[in-house]
Amino acid sequence: MEKNIVVVGCQWGDEGKGKVVDLLAEKADVIARFQGGANAGHTIHAGGKKFILHLIPSGIIHREKICYVGNGVVLDPFGLMDELEVLHAEGIDTEGRLFISSATNLVLPYHKMIDSLDEKKRGGNGLGTTLRGIGPAYRAKVGRFGVRLCDLYTPEKLKERMSVYMEMRPEYFSDSRDERADIDKIYDDLMAIAPKLKSRMTNVSIELLKHYKNGKSILFEGAQGAMLDVDLGTYPFSTSSNTTVGGALTGLGIGPKMIDLVVGVVKAYTTRVGSGPFPTELSDDLGLKLREDGGEFGATTGRPRRTGWLDLVALRHACRVNGVEKIAVTKLDVLDDFEKINVCVGYKLRGEKLSEVPLDLSQLWDVEPVYREFEGWMSPTSHINKFDALPENAKTYLGLIADDLGVGICLVSTGARREETIVV
Ligand code: GDP
Ligand code: IMO
Ligand code: MG
């Protein structure tokens, strides 16, 4: 396998990036997360335990790996403290091996408050956000009203930045009695944790270049998926960051030549949580079966995920915008007892056939999927650890996906645990 790999989601998130990163991390020295925030929920099953990570890179479970959180992430500092505590309680020590960019913007309690208020104001047209304050924190960042990790160490500046931010948003703050808008409390809480974060603060760009020059192998961990990218996804039903490969460059301060390979994580069917178009969604018993068999409930919010067939048109888009050369296909086992499996190979938009996504991805509301039907394999796959040993119909299914997308398959996942994996 190539040395420095970016792992990105190719659908609407929850493809199994956590598991894939955890597996690839075994051969890496350094793991760096580059965007998103605590909207992510990356699940890892290792050593009989289940971990759900929101901000900390999935490589942290390997006790000797060094992990970084890049400037492209929006960091909830209190959420981070909780996550560190959970890891500590599980005997995973992060001292001296988890570092955070000093330029990382913080998600503060009032960003979560605004997230909820905005969703309420949108009424029936809500985005179905995770309510983790992601949109408001990125908005503050690009509006240049953000608070960054390094600001915790110039307290006068910190308080002023928070005050100005609030004064300029009377619509949210003028009458607010919400504790999340209490600047003095937020300030005190931040001051209480600032000393604990100081030793973790670093210049991630400089550190990664050092590792690179020392011949270390670096794994770059994305969150969400291509279809949730703020530029390239189903805007406005997207998240607020670049979930695609460009996010790794700007979110960590690295050059493109540091990347040897982009691995796209593809769930063997499709899920989406939150609002927005989803052409292959199944609203019938098959959809319910996918949800039940796949355990499709949000790792961050617990919300039931919407489910549907694999969408090759959306995947063509995801692979193109990311320069994906290899895919990791996950959750193949969930299809083990489907007699027939459909794959969307094209769309119809007002009578016109499309093989690529429309110019305006919001038109995904109006497209009709064109399906190709496959015979299911109707036998368990979780115990299989060689590609050749997979049922013929499963190999046909995987072969079609790889051929259509013009990519190789580097990994097939047939269960949540590490050992339920076929390395190709
Ligand atoms: P992520 O956000 O992309 O890391 O994915 P999530 O962790 O949110 O969701 C993936 C879910 O599927 C988690 O509960 C994983 O433990 C589980 N999972 C991952 N790979 C497989 C697989 O191959 N088969 C099954 N059945 N579950 C899997
Ligand atoms: P991981 O990394 C699935 C979705 C939300 C909502 C939209 C905007 O676990 O794959 P936001 O809170 O970001 O403003 O919400 O994006 N969303 C995710 N869906 N997996 C995720 O992360 C997601 N992060 C955000 O449900 O539709
Ligand atoms: Mg997830």
Side-chain angles (χ1 to χ4, degrees):
M1 200 70 165
E2 285 75 354
K3 213 167 181 188
N4 303 312
I5 301 173
V6 181
V7 175
V8 286
C10 284
Q11 292 149 317
W12 278 278
D14 302 329
E15 297 89 350
K17 297 174 294 294
K19 172 172 173 175
V20 171
V21 170
D22 172 64
L23 286 168
L24 296 178
E26 205 172 319
K27 295 237 163 66
D29 301 297
V30 173
I31 300 89
R33 169 89 185 265
F34 55 83
Q35 47 67 235
N39 48 351
H42 295 178
T43 315
I44 297 155
H45 289 260
K49 286 183 184 159
K50 176 179 172 178
F51 300 90
I52 299 179
L53 297 168
H54 303 285
L55 290 161
I56 300 175
S58 300
I60 202 79
I61 309 300
H62 295 267
R63 285 154 208 271
E64 69 288 10
K65 311 291 174 182
I66 301 178
C67 293
Y68 292 96
V69 175
N71 57 277
V73 169
V74 284
L75 185 91
D76 172 352
F78 305 109
L80 175 73
M81 299 315 288
D82 293 343
E83 217 167 308
L84 286 170
E85 229 165 77
V86 171
L87 288 177
H88 185 70
E90 292 294 348
I92 296 178
D93 191 14
T94 59
E95 265 332 294
R97 66 184 191 98
L98 173 69
F99 301 99
I100 305 163
S101 165
S102 55
T104 302
N105 270 257
L106 302 183
V107 178
L108 295 173
Y110 50 76
H111 292 131
K112 294 190 204 176
M113 181 188 92
I114 294 175
D115 203 353
S116 304
L117 291 172
D118 283 352
E119 280 290 273
K120 255 188 224 142
K121 274 189 216 151
R122 286 187 178 111
N125 299 318
L127 304 179
T129 76
T130 58
L131 304 180
R132 295 299 186 270
I134 304 300
Y138 276 116
R139 233 151 70 203
K141 171 181 165 171
V142 299
R144 290 148 297 172
F145 291 106
V147 170
R148 303 188 301 169
L149 181 59
C150 55
D151 296 333
L152 297 191
Y153 308 97
T154 49
E156 336 69 62
K157 198 164 106 188
L158 168 68
K159 212 165 199 181
E160 191 195 313
R161 286 188 76 75
M162 292 197 293
S163 304
V164 170
Y165 179 84
M166 289 191 181
E167 278 160 22
M168 294 190 68
R169 280 161 195 75
E171 72 276 25
Y172 295 112
F173 292 108
S174 59
D175 302 322
S176 181
R177 293 207 178 85
D178 195 312
E179 191 184 58
R180 294 174 295 180
D182 181 342
I183 249 189
D184 294 325
K185 180 173 182 343
I186 297 172
Y187 177 83
D188 291 345
D189 290 346
L190 284 173
M191 287 302 103
I193 59 171
K196 298 179 195 160
L197 290 173
K198 197 162 189 187
S199 62
R200 298 191 187 271
M201 193 170 71
T202 194
N203 184 321
V204 171
S205 168
I206 291 177
E207 293 306 312
L208 288 181
L209 188 61
K210 271 191 220 157
H211 290 299
Y212 178 71
K213 286 190 169 163
N214 288 334
K216 302 289 185 201
S217 160
I218 309 170
L219 190 57
F220 305 101
E221 177 176 357
Q224 290 82 49
M227 301 306 279
L228 287 171
D229 185 288
V230 66
D231 285 288
L232 300 160
T234 49
Y235 188 89
F237 295 96
S238 64
T239 189
S240 297
S241 66
N242 286 118
T243 61
T244 45
V245 65
L249 308 185
T250 54
L252 292 164
I254 59 163
K257 293 204 167 150
M258 207 184 270
I259 298 170
D260 298 319
L261 177 70
V262 181
V263 169
V265 186
V266 174
K267 196 181 284 194
Y269 49 96
T270 311
T271 61
R272 172 164 205 171
V273 58
S275 318
F278 181 178
T280 62
E281 182 166 16
L282 291 168
S283 311
D284 55 9
D285 287 350
L286 283 174
L288 283 179
K289 181 170 163 57
L290 276 176
R291 180 184 298 154
E292 290 303 322
D293 294 2
E296 296 296 353
F297 297 90
T300 294
T301 57
R303 289 179 292 177
R305 294 174 183 150
R306 300 157 65 193
T307 51
W309 297 121
L310 193 78
D311 183 345
L312 281 176
V313 186
L315 285 172
R316 287 170 201 148
H317 175 76
C319 288
R320 178 171 25 77
V321 299
N322 275 301
V324 167
E325 284 177 87
K326 290 190 182 162
I327 55 172
V329 181
T330 60
K331 305 194 91 160
L332 187 73
D333 54 297
V334 176
L335 298 179
D336 281 352
D337 66 341
F338 279 76
E339 277 179 19
K340 304 275 183 200
I341 299 169
N342 277 323
V343 173
C344 170
V345 292
Y347 293 151
K348 263 194 197 162
L349 181 61
R350 288 183 273 282
E352 192 193 341
K353 275 194 184 163
L354 300 179
S355 58
E356 296 286 352
V357 290
L359 268 183
D360 175 0
L361 261 73
S362 70
Q363 289 184 317
L364 254 57
W365 283 117
D366 305 319
V367 301
E368 224 183 280
V370 177
Y371 286 118
R372 175 168 161 189
E373 189 181 79
F374 284 76
E375 292 298 319
W377 44 93
M378 300 298 289
S379 63
T381 51
S382 288
H383 61 288
I384 297 173
N385 52 24
K386 286 209 172 58
F387 191 86
D388 283 343
L390 281 169
E392 281 310 313
N393 288 353
K395 281 193 269 187
T396 305
Y397 184 69
L398 293 170
L400 167 102
I401 299 170
D403 286 352
D404 185 285
L405 301 175
V407 299
I409 295 178
C410 60
L411 197 149
V412 179
S413 173
T414 55
R417 295 179 303 143
R418 278 178 179 165
E419 47 282 19
E420 291 166 324
T421 307
I422 301 169
V423 179
V424 187

